[in-house]
Amino acid sequence: WLTRVVPREWLEDEGAEIETNVLSSKAESMMAIRKLHRETPIGTDVRERISRARNSILALRRNFIVITPDRIVEVYNRSLELGLAPQQMLREEHAKGLVMFGETVG
């Protein structure tokens, strides 16, 4: 499951509210944070990171390589090293190079 991190200031704001209102429950606080999270648009940079992670998984799958968190990170980082945009990661000419672990790509 991919999601963005809840900003610290949301938690701090909710924490201050909890301290001033003894009747406020942790469940209500979490619901307020989730609502704020749901209503906040996802930025372009986060969408790009999500796409890159997704395409890392697809590149592994297409090349019949076991998908593990470590492998996903390796493919993700290699795509950055090669300067590939997320949409380029699945092109035949790039996909093989992304999943060649322990080998240099020329």
Side-chain angles (χ1 to χ4, degrees), residues 48 52 78-86 88-89 94 98:
E48 185 175 314
R52 191 174 298 280
R78 181 168 268 180
S79 73
L80 292 173
E81 290 169 8
L82 295 173
L84 299 175
Q88 294 175 307
M89 293 172 65
H94 301 301
L98 287 172

Side-chain angles (χ1 to χ4, degrees), residues 3-18 28-42:
T3 186
R4 64 183 158 186
V5 176
V6 175
R8 182 177 289 293
E9 57 269 7
W10 291 1
L11 298 174
E12 290 169 356
D13 290 345
E14 284 300 316
E17 194 174 299
I18 291 170
E28 289 171 341
S29 178
M30 285 306 298
M31 287 175 57
I33 290 170
R34 286 183 179 156
K35 182 177 187 266
L36 186 57
H37 186 70
R38 183 176 55 244
E39 293 172 352
T40 302
I42 296 175

